[in-house]
Amino acid sequence: MASISIPIPLRERAKSGLLGWLATVDHKKIGVMYMVMSFFFFIAAGVMALLIRLQLAAPNLQVVDPNTYNQLFTMHGSVMIFLFTIPMLVGGFGNYFVPLMIGARDVAFPRLNAFSFWITLGAGLVMLLGFLFGARSDAAWTAYVPYSTKSFSPTVGMDIWLIGVILLGIGSTLGAVNFLVTVYSMRAPGMTAWRIPMFVWAMATTAGMVLLATPVLTAALIMLVADRNFNTQFFTTNRVQLWQHMFWFYSHPAVYIMILPAMGIISEIIPVFSRKPLFGLRAVVISTVLIGLLGFTTWVHHMFVSGVDPAIERFFMFTTMVIAVPTGVKVFNWLATLWGGSLNLKTPLLMCIGFLGTFVIGGISGVMQASIPIDQYVHNSYFVVAHFHYVLFGGSVFGIFAALYYWGPKITGRMFDEKLGKLHFWLMLIGFNITFFPMHFLGLQGMPRRIATYDPGRGWEAGNLIATIGAFILAFSVLVFIINVIKLRRGAPAGDDPWEGNTLEWSVASPPPEYNFLEIPTVESDRPLFDARMRTPHV
Amino acid sequence: MVPPVTRDAELISDLYNVVLVFAVIIFVLVEGLLIYSVIRFRRRSADEMPEQIHGSRAFELAWTIIPAILIAVIFGLSVDTLGRMTARGTLSNPVAHVHAINDVAARQRVERAQPVDLVIEVIGRQWVWQYKYPGGDGVTTSEELVVPANKNIRLDMTAADVIHAWWMPELGPMIYVNPGEMSYVWFNVPPGDYIGQCNVYCGVAHARMISRVKALPQAEYDEWYAKQAATSSAATRPGDPEIGKNIFLNGSCIACHYIEGTKAQGRVAPRELTRFAGYPTIAQLDGFENNAENLAKWLRDPQAIKPGTAMPNLNLKAQEIEDLVAYLLTLK
């Protein structure tokens, strides 16, 4: 690996201590703040999930009253999506690792980057504090009109929720611009398209999707705020589907915004821990971009029973099913990467295997629901709840923990306790499946989502009780992770490259110094560090 | 799935079962390869270096083309099922949707789509389904939709407030019932009791918005209908608190009302009903004294007594009102 010297830009040296964090424009510190913030929101929304599961553990329970229950599932969904999964993957890992992986000293617009973080945190606090002090929305994260209009949701909680999501949209749109410019213009010399790491490809695609999709949601939200407060008539009766179109035009791509970075993460980890190159690198890149594009053509599948014209529905059934092809290509390429490899079964790889094993179930049930007749049965049922948790927990959250175990040593300079890591993995895998697999059957047995309770005798008792038990196993697994993070202080030193990594972040110290690279490296392949290791004899 | 009782539900169930076979094959293949790889290829020595394979055009084409074919098959089967569900004259075209209530042309298309024996108007409102029978007898129900068995039924549905969804898993596809729009559902069912519930989140008592269909043989249906027509105007016996309690606790009342120690845990109504008989007035309305006569008036049409109250007109029968009054006045 050759390198060239570019002087470190003249910028005020970073301050230390609290002010160093508050005033920082360093992509790594901003990345860490995103991660800490997101993890906090993950815990908050997880506690809400536990309350939801407690309430449903048996028929006609009253752990919380129905009103509170409805507020809880509204907030659980909103926080998990907008304040945990997206900021953790995009703001957290994207910020920290995109510049490092492309050999850059920071993102293109460091101050804009800091602004994105603070507006995201501000929006999160608006939503969560509003919730804690009683200004709560109960319109579900989908906020369908007319339920979310002034007539049916008269309280200020709805406005607080809307304003929170508008602010978050601004934060992520600005972040997307930053990532696109960074990846386009700041790659190290020699990093041609096919040498860009998969995680960076995924992040660039994600940023493109955020940039195209988020403004539509923001517009819809502003229109609803105006309807509620200034008597505009955007979403009056007879136009109930307008909201659904605008909402899902963002919120279906949002699923890919949450899964593509996680796919990028496991595309990095699997080759490293198999000691093999990613099988069919170009096919994985192309399928990533294709998923990003096709992701914009499927939103009406959320509306198959809303009253859309049947011919249009068939078109969207087709596009929705087609997206399974590039997704399948990725899954088989990951399996082929593992095949014949030398698998180092440490926690990061285990989490990737958890991703593959559970995500595929969500992928399959996704194709099933894409079929209009099947959707006319399972739509809005617990089958759907099972499906999207297999995609977003089985996929995104396993991917997030894979990244935390993989990159944690780089960020902190310390190694995680491997035994606790494995315990975390197994508890999470088992707890996850016990929680969400029975929900498929509940949905098929006719249980709708978003119900605060149910009568006995519908065949839903056993499945719900099992799911609740699973949820607590899942919660316990997260506790094990937290203990592992606390123990990190006394962890073994990580060194520059504990995993024999492939990409540039492993060429610098752990944690990386300010401005990352003393000399900007020159890249000659898609695995610069692997090649460098091969050239130098083993010590 | 819940065992289907209509042809449309059966078509959906058959399609589901076929697609499930594909799903299980893919599932077993992927999980099998994954588990095999993890066991077979685990690292055995620290310095082993596997062969560096960058890809294989043949394999990659295979796992692009084969899934594409599978997808094409599933798409074809789905379109075929949809076609059979919308075939004319088979009591199909099981759901339809018209965006404007006054769209006459669309209405005529719906009328022509299938020959029907009975059309019932359905209004979904927070948090109850109301069923209005044709004919001048003024028969309306809200707890249960009673229909003649083995007859072609059409429901003409709309929503009075927010979006609701009609979902009877045994009876066929679900459909949203939107305010300001019309949704149509056709079905033909053997005798029996069927249950479902609103499937779009519609507010605090969404979970209590249950739909029940009772299909009776024609003779029993006629008998039931005649009785309804007679009792819709006058009660035939004095109110029975036990029957009233039954109506209250198994119906939509509990969506909003709270009575300590019962299933009624709704918190929409401002006052709980635990000691209702002790209240001096009904609906906190000055001068509207709490007695049997006024209570019956209130239950018949709350909006007429207190315009704007959250309590809807539940289209209760005269006899049901008598029974409910008897029950409510026992709450001390």
Side-chain angles (χ1 to χ4, degrees):
Chain A
M1 189 176 57
S3 60
I4 55 167
S5 262
I6 297 177
I8 286 176
L10 283 174
R11 199 166 76 188
E12 64 271 34
R13 301 292 300 175
K15 299 175 180 68
S16 57
L18 185 62
L19 194 66
W21 287 95
L22 293 181
T24 189
V25 292
D26 175 49
H27 72 99
K28 297 184 292 296
K29 281 188 170 175
I30 291 171
V32 168
M33 289 196 290
Y34 264 115
M35 289 179 217
V36 171
M37 174 199 83
S38 307
F39 194 79
F40 170 76
F41 283 122
F42 174 62
I43 300 298
V47 170
M48 296 177 198
L50 290 180
L51 286 170
I52 290 170
R53 281 315 322 165
L54 271 181
Q55 170 99 347
L56 295 179
N60 287 325
L61 279 189
Q62 283 279 331
V63 177
V64 293
D65 62 88
N67 223 351
T68 310
Y69 180 89
N70 297 337
Q71 294 161 347
L72 282 172
F73 77 67
T74 298
M75 212 53 189
H76 167 73
S78 310
V79 172
M80 281 295 191
I81 291 164
F82 294 123
L83 291 168
F84 164 60
T85 312
I86 295 177
M88 177 65 97
L89 285 167
V90 180
F93 302 132
N95 249 309
Y96 203 107
F97 291 103
V98 164
L100 278 165
M101 291 174 104
I102 62 171
R105 283 174 175 152
D106 206 319
V107 292
F109 308 114
R111 283 189 171 76
L112 193 66
N113 198 20
F115 178 71
S116 296
F117 169 73
W118 290 108
I119 201 169
T120 304
L121 178 64
L125 290 178
V126 164
M127 289 172 78
L128 200 70
L129 291 177
F131 183 82
L132 290 178
F133 290 104
R136 298 171 189 169
S137 160
D138 72 333
W141 86 280
T142 48
Y144 270 22
V145 300
Y147 187 76
S148 54
T149 59
K150 198 87 175 172
S151 314
F152 303 103
S153 297
T155 62
V156 71
M158 191 71 229
D159 293 297
I160 296 273
W161 184 90
L162 288 165
I163 288 162
V165 181
I166 290 170
L167 293 175
L168 286 169
I170 294 169
S172 53
T173 309
L174 294 175
V177 174
N178 215 339
F179 280 121
L180 283 174
V181 176
T182 305
V183 174
Y184 184 77
S185 64
M186 295 176 69
R187 299 195 306 275
M191 187 174 276
T192 53
W194 300 120
R195 292 178 189 164
I196 296 175
M198 267 319 301
F199 178 69
V200 177
W201 264 114
M203 280 305 307
T205 309
T206 303
M209 297 188 83
V210 170
L211 197 60
L212 288 174
T214 314
V216 177
L217 176 72
T218 307
L221 294 163
I222 292 171
M223 284 152 76
L224 185 53
V225 169
D227 268 11
R228 292 175 55 82
N229 296 292
F230 313 118
N231 287 317
T232 53
Q233 303 285 326
F234 294 112
F235 299 117
T236 40
T237 310
N238 277 39
R239 270 178 276 167
V240 291
Q241 281 141 23
L242 177 61
W243 170 267
Q244 294 171 32
H245 280 293
M246 294 183 82
F247 178 82
W248 289 115
F249 187 84
Y250 166 80
S251 294
H252 192 76
V255 176
Y256 299 100
I257 290 167
M258 288 184 273
I259 197 69
L260 282 178
M263 288 175 161
I265 286 164
I266 78 162
S267 303
E268 294 294 339
I269 297 176
I270 289 175
V272 169
F273 286 75
S274 308
R275 278 195 184 146
K276 276 181 65 191
L278 184 63
F279 194 92
L281 173 86
R282 293 186 181 202
V284 179
V285 170
I286 291 166
S287 61
T288 300
V289 177
L290 257 182
I291 291 173
L293 291 172
L294 288 172
F296 280 100
T297 65
T298 67
W299 79 92
V300 173
H301 70 223
H302 295 272
M303 302 169 63
F304 281 163
V305 299
S306 295
V308 176
D309 185 89
I312 295 173
E313 289 184 346
R314 280 166 213 215
F315 169 79
F316 281 92
M317 166 161 76
F318 180 75
T319 54
T320 304
M321 287 182 175
V322 163
I323 215 164
V325 176
T327 312
V329 166
K330 278 168 168 286
V331 170
F332 285 111
N333 277 348
W334 289 323
L335 287 172
T337 310
L338 291 170
W339 190 270
S342 164
L343 305 189
N344 184 13
L345 291 173
K346 296 274 169 55
T347 319
L349 184 64
L350 290 178
M351 289 291 177
C352 294
I353 289 162
F355 177 118
L356 273 172
T358 50
F359 172 75
V360 76
I361 297 173
I364 291 169
S365 60
V367 174
M368 296 173 83
Q369 288 168 85
S371 165
I372 296 170
I374 295 176
D375 189 63
Q376 286 175 330
Y377 188 101
V378 298
H379 175 89
N380 261 5
S381 75
Y382 259 81
F383 191 89
V384 175
V385 179
H387 158 71
F388 68 71
H389 281 97
Y390 267 90
V391 173
L392 293 179
F393 198 117
S396 306
V397 179
F398 273 91
I400 285 170
F401 280 114
L404 287 170
Y405 280 103
Y406 176 59
W407 280 322
K410 174 56 60 183
I411 298 168
T412 62
R414 300 277 172 179
M415 297 302 283
F416 279 109
D417 183 325
E418 193 56 33
K419 271 192 193 130
L420 278 180
K422 287 199 167 95
L423 179 68
H424 171 201
F425 165 73
W426 284 109
L427 283 173
M428 193 162 89
L429 186 72
I430 293 165
F432 170 79
N433 283 291
I434 294 178
T435 308
F436 294 106
F437 206 77
M439 291 185 187
H440 291 110
F441 301 109
L442 288 172
L444 293 173
Q445 284 298 316
M447 180 167 170
R449 67 195 287 199
R450 295 173 179 157
I451 52 171
T453 189
Y454 52 94
D455 278 333
R458 306 278 301 268
W460 304 343
E461 289 92 336
N464 273 302
L465 183 61
I466 293 168
T468 301
I469 293 167
F472 280 86
I473 299 175
L474 203 49
F476 185 68
S477 79
V478 176
L479 211 61
V480 173
F481 173 74
I482 293 172
I483 293 169
N484 211 347
V485 172
I486 295 168
K487 282 188 66 178
L488 209 52
R489 293 163 61 101
R490 282 177 283 127
D496 293 0
D497 185 10
W499 309 120
E500 302 185 333
N502 288 333
T503 37
L504 293 176
E505 76 271 30
W506 304 107
S507 69
V508 296
S510 308
E514 226 185 318
Y515 301 112
N516 306 338
F517 302 96
L518 197 59
E519 293 183 323
I520 300 294
T522 301
V523 177
E524 283 152 7
S525 81
D526 59 305
R527 291 190 294 171
L529 264 71
F530 180 88
D531 295 341
R533 256 196 321 279
M534 289 297 105
R535 276 196 293 272
T536 48
H538 275 288
V539 208
Chain B
M1 282 188 166
V2 177
V5 299
T6 65
R7 182 171 168 278
D8 304 304
E10 209 169 86
L11 284 168
I12 294 176
S13 169
D14 290 348
L15 177 67
Y16 175 84
N17 289 332
V18 172
V19 175
L20 187 63
V21 173
F22 288 107
V24 169
I25 291 170
I26 298 280
F27 171 77
V28 169
L29 179 74
V30 172
E31 305 289 348
L33 284 172
L34 185 63
I35 293 168
Y36 179 82
S37 304
V38 170
I39 294 167
R40 168 76 178 73
F41 301 114
R42 57 198 315 156
R43 188 169 295 177
R44 289 183 164 80
S45 72
D47 57 354
E48 68 181 4
M49 181 53 72
E51 197 188 339
Q52 299 294 297
I53 301 166
H54 288 265
S56 149
R57 180 156 297 174
F59 274 103
E60 287 175 71
L61 275 176
W63 61 60
T64 310
I65 292 168
I66 295 170
I69 293 171
L70 269 178
I71 291 296
V73 171
I74 295 173
F75 178 76
L77 289 171
S78 303
V79 171
D80 177 58
T81 300
L82 278 173
R84 284 199 262 169
M85 286 165 78
T86 50
R88 286 177 61 85
T90 50
L91 186 73
S92 247
N93 193 6
V95 292
H97 203 99
V98 174
H99 291 291
I101 284 182
N102 302 324
D103 187 337
V104 176
R107 173 85 199 180
Q108 282 168 349
R109 276 200 301 279
V110 166
E111 306 257 331
R112 280 198 303 270
Q114 302 290 342
V116 290
D117 303 310
L118 179 62
V119 175
I120 296 163
E121 283 176 41
V122 180
I123 297 172
R125 63 169 76 239
Q126 292 174 319
W127 293 275
V128 58
W129 295 100
Q130 297 176 326
Y131 312 104
K132 197 169 166 202
Y133 288 73
D137 305 320
V139 173
T140 54
T141 65
S142 58
E143 299 314 336
E144 200 169 43
L145 173 62
V146 180
V147 295
N150 304 314
K151 296 282 178 186
N152 292 349
I153 314 289
R154 190 179 82 221
L155 306 183
D156 292 5
M157 319 179 84
T158 191
D161 35 47
V162 299
I163 303 172
H164 301 282
W166 178 258
W167 187 29
M168 303 290 294
E170 297 148 292
L171 266 47
M174 84 179 69
I175 188 166
Y176 278 19
V177 179
N178 295 326
E181 304 189 353
M182 292 298 296
S183 301
Y184 301 92
V185 173
W186 286 258
F187 60 86
N188 182 331
V189 287
D193 290 300
Y194 309 101
I195 189 166
Q197 67 191 89
C198 175
N199 198 27
V200 172
Y201 172 70
C202 61
V204 60
H206 167 58
R208 295 293 188 198
M209 192 163 164
I210 309 286
S211 44
R212 290 185 175 83
V213 172
K214 186 193 231 7
L216 297 172
Q218 185 72 47
E220 280 178 49
Y221 171 78
D222 290 340
E223 196 181 319
W224 172 86
Y225 186 83
K227 205 168 144 198
Q228 293 298 309
T231 56
S232 64
S233 48
T236 49
R237 54 170 172 74
D240 178 338
E242 275 308 305
I243 295 174
K245 183 176 182 181
N246 234 344
I247 295 171
F248 194 98
L249 294 181
N250 293 311
S252 47
C253 311
I254 59 171
C256 304
H257 289 292
Y258 183 92
I259 298 175
E260 203 176 280
T262 71
K263 211 168 88 178
Q265 297 283 322
R267 285 292 193 182
V268 177
R271 286 193 308 188
E272 57 177 76
L273 299 180
T274 313
R275 285 170 196 80
F276 171 77
Y279 293 145
T281 58
I282 297 170
Q284 292 168 285
L285 204 61
D286 281 343
F288 194 53
E289 197 192 324
N290 187 3
N291 56 38
E293 193 190 336
N294 278 345
L295 187 52
K297 267 191 211 160
W298 170 256
L299 292 175
R300 203 166 295 130
D301 191 359
Q303 298 292 336
I305 310 282
K306 187 180 180 184
T309 175
M311 174 132 162
N313 181 346
L314 292 161
N315 295 314
L316 297 164
K317 308 285 169 319
Q319 185 63 59
E320 288 173 329
I321 291 175
E322 291 294 311
D323 293 333
L324 279 169
V325 168
Y327 168 60
L328 289 169
L329 292 177
T330 64
L331 298 171
K332 286 178 181 137

